[in-house]
Amino acid sequence: MRYKILVIGIVSAFAFSSCNLDYSETTNYGKDYMQLNFDNVASLLSDIYARLDYDFGNYDEAMLASASDEAMYAWESNRIHNFYNGSWSPANSLTNWDGMFVGIQACNHYLANYLGLTFPELMENDDYKAQMFRYENYEHEVRFLRAYFYFNLVRQYGDVPLVKEEIPAGELNQLSRTSYKDVIDYIISECDAVIPKLPADYTNLGEYQITPAQNGRATMMAAMALKARTLLYAASPLFNDGSDSQLWYKAAKAAKDLLDVCTENGKRLEAYTRIWGTDNWQSNEAILVRRILNNSNSLETRNFPVGVEHGNSGNCPTQNMIDAYQMKASGKFWDEAESGYDPANPYEGRDPRFGMSIVKNGDTGWPSYNRTAIQTYFGGVNGEPVAGATPTGYYLKKLLDGTLANNSGSLSSSRHNFVTYRLGEFYLNYAEAVFRHSGSADATSGEFSLSAREAVNIVRARTGVEMPALPAGLSNDEFWKQYTNERMVELAFEGHRFWDVRRWKEADRYFKSITQMKITRNADDTYSYERRTVSRQWEDKMYFFPIPQAERMKNPNLAQNAGW
């Protein structure tokens, strides 16, 4: 199914004021009109799906990676720097509060007004049963989407108002914040309710099959993924002070259940670069993909190197990120003894995911129409002091389409789809949860026959990566170092690191500074490499976002997060 934000002749029935909790229906068409036919109702669901978030540059073209130790945004005027330069505040909240509550209210509106319809205009059609199956499934999809929006809010704010049904607008701005534990319980209960009702595969519905298949919709596996991710966060130190040891068991069990169902339905790890690209939604690893129908090149123009035609620079990987790519032959970090690292050739022999994700000095053919080797050294075509040049020594490759053509002064475009859930994440989620539950990287049981170490090694062994397996017998500290590093590498620039470090409560270790690489070209055409540390501001209040001041002025019952 190709989701359309607007259906011909239909205006979306959801319009909200700048306050997320002030709901008003301002369409020219009332509820009775919208209930008249199937396409009208389908357009409402499409509007809700369009509110699924994606991190292709939501902060004035910057990704959340640039607010973590993965990257640094090249342009100093970008508001992403406010996360760590002292400008972050309730008045400058850097929030998606509005967007998530708009989605929740849209879900509540749908569930209150658009269930139980029969669509007489379809009854004479041969595919009536299939179309009604599709419509009746909407209810379960909407409940999934509402739970998804609530997960994003809890991850960002902790306690948030819990609105389970459509209520009058006047009451919305009187709500108090609900305990994050209660909101998490609600998310899990909603997932449990829809998991047995959602299809596992929209291409295998038998008599209810619709052609073309309705790709991009919530499946049983997507709901299981939301449940597993939510439980992982609930068990993590930011939300769990350690008093509830069962939370790690629940997270491990949910991840295992998902992995089992994925295996039964043919999901498997593929080549790393299949995670992105125009057809990544067809990957056997994808569980839920936020499909974006319009072709574009904005992700490329925002991140192609300065000095390349159509390149404007942007999210530049840090040296911290480069250091995470271990040596392929030895499986060791660059600074470990006998790793095989060569200071004169610091990028040789790295984890293959490095070359798939990072643009470095000397690279050729990036993007494909560029005929000049990338020069990130000082004075180079793509290096400082050119305005907007990478401050870190590197440019972003992962997620970008380097095959775009430069024709007659314009740049071609392509489809970009954001992977919300994929199998690789959940092998890692399982590894973390079962490690914390069992207390050992090698422990197995009748219920958890796959150890944490083995789960990580499955990811490291994916086609085209094939990094050396982590050995048995690692201490807990050694495994944790390897695990967090593997997660940083595997999920780089996919919107995880910013949140992972927070839920681990390890920001003091990772977010107080980043490292840049300053490269100098020598007279003999060799290069010198100088690491430079750049401080960033971190305070523990930043584990949660501030409630936007504008919302608290409208609703004094919204207590502010501690420290803000």
Side-chain angles (χ1 to χ4, degrees):
M1 175 184 180
R2 291 193 177 98
Y3 283 101
K4 299 180 179 179
I5 305 306
L6 296 178
V7 175
I8 295 175
I10 303 298
V11 176
S12 170
F14 300 116
F16 296 81
S17 73
S18 60
C19 174
N20 64 284
L21 293 180
D22 286 338
Y23 172 80
S24 64
E25 186 173 313
T26 58
T27 178
N28 291 329
Y29 303 104
K31 180 181 71 175
D32 292 342
Y33 178 87
M34 297 302 294
Q35 291 176 334
L36 279 177
N37 65 62
F38 178 82
D39 283 346
N40 293 0
V41 175
S43 73
L44 303 183
L45 183 68
S46 297
D47 182 88
I48 301 173
Y49 267 105
R51 300 186 186 281
L52 283 172
D53 59 317
Y54 59 95
D55 189 20
F56 283 156
N58 297 329
Y59 290 89
D60 300 335
E61 304 180 355
M63 300 175 181
L64 277 179
S66 290
S68 77
D69 56 350
E70 288 179 308
M72 181 176 184
Y73 203 74
W75 297 95
E76 293 183 0
S77 59
N78 192 281
R79 66 186 177 120
I80 198 73
H81 300 290
N82 294 344
F83 277 110
Y84 54 79
N85 67 7
S87 300
W88 199 8
S89 71
N92 181 26
S93 56
L94 302 170
T95 181
N96 70 349
W97 176 282
D98 285 359
M100 293 301 98
F101 271 114
V102 165
I104 289 165
Q105 282 294 90
C107 291
N108 287 337
H109 179 73
Y110 182 96
L111 294 171
N113 295 282
Y114 296 97
L115 303 183
L117 304 179
T118 57
F119 306 113
E121 82 278 6
L122 298 180
M123 287 182 177
E124 300 303 317
N125 295 352
D126 292 339
D127 65 349
Y128 178 69
K129 288 176 63 177
Q131 293 290 6
M132 286 303 296
F133 174 86
R134 173 183 167 190
Y135 161 69
E136 289 165 2
N137 194 60
Y138 285 173
E139 176 184 357
H140 316 313
E141 295 174 65
V142 168
R143 291 179 71 179
F144 162 82
L145 290 164
R146 180 173 58 183
Y148 174 89
F149 297 141
Y150 264 117
F151 168 79
N152 281 0
L153 284 167
V154 169
R155 176 176 67 176
Q156 195 165 359
Y157 297 101
D159 302 348
V160 293
L162 180 59
V163 188
K164 300 180 183 179
E165 58 189 23
E166 189 175 38
I167 61 177
E171 297 178 18
L172 288 170
N173 280 336
Q174 300 175 21
L175 296 173
S176 299
R177 298 170 69 183
T178 303
S179 162
Y180 72 84
K181 291 183 179 180
D182 290 341
V183 180
I184 285 172
D185 286 345
Y186 175 70
I187 294 169
I188 301 306
S189 68
E190 286 294 278
C191 290
D192 286 341
V194 301
I195 284 169
K197 298 175 182 178
L198 286 166
D201 183 355
Y202 285 95
T203 68
N204 187 27
L205 296 177
E207 65 177 321
Y208 301 120
Q209 187 64 54
I210 294 172
T211 303
Q214 300 165 31
N215 299 300
R217 292 173 59 183
T219 63
M220 172 182 66
M221 286 176 279
M224 295 179 74
L226 173 58
K227 176 180 178 179
R229 188 188 283 180
T230 300
L231 286 171
L232 181 75
Y233 273 67
S236 298
L238 183 60
F239 295 98
N240 177 21
D241 61 7
S243 61
D244 191 347
S245 60
Q246 277 295 102
L247 286 175
W248 285 117
Y249 168 78
K250 292 176 182 179
K253 180 67 165 59
K256 179 185 182 298
D257 290 345
L258 172 60
L259 294 175
D260 289 345
V261 170
C262 284
T263 300
E264 292 168 4
N265 284 275
K267 296 292 181 185
R268 64 182 186 276
L269 299 182
E270 296 180 308
Y272 191 59
T273 53
R274 282 285 282 147
I275 296 165
W276 62 98
T278 58
D279 64 347
N280 61 342
W281 56 274
Q282 295 179 315
S283 165
N284 283 314
E285 183 173 350
I287 296 173
L288 180 66
V289 175
R290 168 49 161 101
R291 295 195 65 189
I292 302 170
L293 294 185
N294 295 327
N295 288 357
S296 69
N297 57 34
S298 58
L299 186 61
E300 286 70 31
T301 57
R302 294 170 182 174
N303 291 284
F304 278 169
V306 161
V308 171
E309 189 173 5
H310 306 298
N312 191 50
S313 186
N315 302 279
C316 299
T318 61
Q319 186 62 40
N320 310 65
M321 187 71 242
I322 276 61
D323 289 345
Y325 294 100
Q326 297 169 322
M327 307 305 293
K328 179 165 175 65
S330 65
K332 295 184 176 183
F333 292 98
W334 69 279
D335 56 353
E336 288 186 275
E338 300 180 350
S339 67
Y341 173 78
D342 179 1
N345 297 287
Y347 311 120
E348 293 298 314
R350 296 290 187 117
D351 182 325
R353 288 170 291 189
F354 171 80
M356 301 172 196
S357 306
I358 310 294
V359 181
K360 68 181 187 307
N361 184 55
D363 279 353
T364 58
W366 183 260
S368 59
Y369 59 82
N370 180 33
R371 304 302 179 212
T372 305
I374 297 296
Q375 302 173 3
T376 63
Y377 56 84
F378 188 87
V381 172
N382 318 106
E384 296 175 316
V386 176
T390 171
T392 64
Y394 309 97
Y395 288 101
L396 180 65
K397 180 182 288 187
K398 185 176 175 179
L399 307 181
L400 277 60
D401 186 350
T403 68
L404 296 185
N406 177 29
N407 299 314
S408 302
S410 63
L411 188 64
S412 62
S413 59
S414 64
R415 189 72 52 81
H416 298 74
N417 306 300
F418 189 78
V419 176
T420 303
Y421 302 125
R422 64 177 179 90
L423 192 57
E425 174 197 344
F426 291 94
Y427 275 112
L428 295 174
N429 290 3
Y430 170 85
E432 181 176 344
V434 79
F435 168 65
R436 292 303 190 192
H437 166 63
S438 67
S440 167
D442 297 318
T444 59
S445 66
E447 188 168 18
F448 301 118
S449 58
L450 184 70
S451 73
R453 178 181 58 84
E454 290 168 334
V456 173
N457 284 339
I458 287 173
V459 175
R460 290 170 70 88
R462 69 156 63 237
T463 300
V465 172
E466 293 141 352
M467 286 291 291
L470 301 183
L474 293 173
S475 71
N476 284 357
D477 287 345
E478 289 170 336
F479 177 75
W480 185 247
K481 178 181 179 180
Q482 292 283 354
Y483 169 76
T484 55
N485 190 80
E486 183 64 28
R487 191 173 180 93
M488 185 177 187
V489 167
E490 173 68 18
L491 303 177
F493 311 109
E494 295 181 43
H496 288 272
R497 181 72 175 176
F498 179 92
W499 304 110
D500 282 342
V501 171
R502 280 173 162 77
R503 66 180 178 83
W504 296 329
K505 296 192 75 173
E506 294 188 354
D508 278 353
R509 178 179 178 185
Y510 294 114
F511 285 177
K512 282 194 168 183
S513 67
I514 58 99
T515 302
Q516 304 170 335
M517 180 60 76
K518 300 301 181 182
I519 306 174
T520 303
R521 185 179 183 180
N522 302 319
D524 60 357
D525 289 337
T526 61
Y527 297 96
S528 297
Y529 302 91
E530 177 193 353
R531 290 169 174 264
R532 186 173 300 175
T533 299
V534 178
S535 296
R536 287 182 169 180
Q537 181 173 311
W538 173 266
E539 298 178 55
D540 284 353
K541 68 180 182 180
M542 297 176 182
Y543 279 119
F544 288 117
F545 281 39
I547 303 296
Q549 186 63 31
E551 299 302 327
R552 297 189 67 234
M553 291 175 67
K554 297 165 188 172
N555 180 3
N557 294 326
L558 290 176
Q560 184 58 273
N561 273 329
W564 293 106

